[in-house]
Amino acid sequence: MLADRINGKSCPFSSDIDKQMELGFNTLEIQLFDNQLESRENTLRLVDNCKKDGLDIKSIHSPLSKVVYSHLIENIDLDVEMYKNLFLFIDGIQKYFGHKMPVVFHTELRPTVDYSSTYKYLRDTMEKLVYMYPDITYTIENSCPIDKVKGFVNGALFENVGLCEMLRRDISKDHFNTTLDICHALAAVRLLKVLYAHDYTYNGRYIYMEDFVKENSETCNNIHFNWLTDFGFRGG
């Protein structure tokens, strides 16, 4: 059996959960998808099976479309409504298992978006959500620097830490932490080394994995372990 502090990451499908059990995991991080919020009965049935099999869910990864910033439409009530189904769903799972499960969000912001004005809406929205769902906590993950669809995105370095610190300062110290994704961090390190290698005027210092560990050391409560090939577009 693997240590209880190491969780397998699984979609809420029987075949995926069985694979994690075969690997020796007895605790899981569950990756949700949008359609599972609409067919919650099927997902809850799988969650029920987890409990019957002696598995515990330690954290929940929000659907990848629910990226911090990407859906903010500068209308707090609409933003809250967009997340409502997700949080009601997670709140129910937490109550079922009898403990809190941090909700993982990616932090991605297209370079053309104004960070300062967007943060105001994010802060106001999250403040309302914390008030509505006080038992839900959030852990903000560093993103992969390149997305096959979106191209380059922000959030690949330490933006998750800065965002976490700002939300802690403005809303609550008890509700916000960070997730360090090793695969995403390695992709960023490798990409920057390639870019720096072709910039002969660059006289700064490279960014290493150690920098990600150091930057997240005060806020991190979750780590995603995974390896990658090249920049992460092929099998790990």
Side-chain angles (χ1 to χ4, degrees):
M1 254 333 161
L2 293 171
D4 287 344
R5 294 293 297 275
I6 303 177
N7 310 318
K9 186 174 181 181
S10 175
C11 300
F13 306 133
S14 296
S15 57
D16 290 348
I17 292 171
D18 288 344
K19 286 179 183 178
Q20 298 303 315
M21 292 179 65
E22 291 172 5
L23 290 170
F25 290 105
N26 55 19
T27 56
L28 300 174
E29 175 175 304
I30 294 293
Q31 170 74 64
L32 294 178
F33 298 92
D34 280 324
N35 61 344
Q36 287 156 349
L37 300 181
E38 298 166 3
S39 58
R40 64 177 59 196
E41 288 184 6
N42 293 333
T43 304
L44 286 173
R45 190 178 301 115
L46 285 166
V47 168
D48 185 53
N49 290 338
C50 285
K51 197 167 186 179
K52 289 178 180 177
D53 289 334
L55 296 172
D56 193 7
I57 297 175
K58 293 296 186 181
S59 56
I60 298 176
H61 200 304
S62 64
L64 293 178
S65 67
K66 299 292 188 292
V67 174
V68 174
Y69 296 126
S70 65
H71 288 277
L72 290 175
I73 47 182
E74 303 193 351
N75 183 313
I76 295 173
D77 291 332
L78 289 178
D79 289 333
V80 169
E81 188 64 29
M82 182 194 71
Y83 286 106
K84 188 175 180 180
N85 284 341
L86 172 64
F87 289 165
L88 283 172
F89 186 62
I90 293 171
D91 193 49
I93 295 177
Q94 286 189 154
K95 287 182 171 63
Y96 185 70
F97 277 85
H99 63 80
K100 291 184 178 181
M101 303 169 186
V103 182
V104 182
F105 282 91
H106 284 197
T107 171
E108 295 176 5
L109 180 65
R110 294 302 296 272
T112 55
V113 177
D114 178 49
Y115 188 96
S116 58
S117 63
T118 304
Y119 174 71
K120 177 184 181 299
Y121 291 100
L122 174 66
R123 179 198 64 206
D124 293 347
T125 301
M126 296 307 294
E127 187 171 35
K128 190 166 185 177
L129 289 168
V130 166
Y131 174 78
M132 293 172 64
Y133 308 100
D135 290 331
I136 293 181
T137 60
Y138 311 91
T139 178
I140 307 169
E141 179 181 340
N142 57 303
S143 301
C144 191
I146 303 177
D147 184 282
K148 284 185 176 180
V149 177
K150 302 174 186 175
F152 286 97
V153 297
N154 289 324
L157 296 178
F158 317 124
E159 292 90 337
N160 63 321
V161 178
L163 178 58
C164 174
E165 291 174 343
M166 292 163 70
L167 292 171
R168 282 182 168 188
R169 178 197 66 201
D170 295 341
I171 301 176
S172 167
K173 291 182 179 179
D174 299 325
H175 284 82
F176 300 98
N177 288 92
T178 59
T179 288
L180 173 57
D181 188 294
I182 301 298
C183 175
H184 296 168
L186 282 172
V189 168
R190 292 177 182 179
L191 177 64
L192 287 174
K193 282 187 177 180
V194 171
L195 295 176
Y196 291 155
H198 294 279
D199 181 3
Y200 300 104
T201 65
Y202 178 76
N203 59 4
R205 82 172 184 87
Y206 292 132
I207 291 176
Y208 300 98
M209 246 341 281
E210 292 88 338
D211 295 305
F212 282 89
V213 174
K214 181 180 178 181
E215 290 291 333
N216 282 269
S217 62
E218 298 296 323
T219 56
C220 184
N221 68 343
N222 192 35
I223 298 176
H224 288 166
F225 287 102
N226 200 359
W227 195 246
L228 77 160
T229 302
D230 300 328
F231 298 116
F233 291 139
R234 294 191 288 143

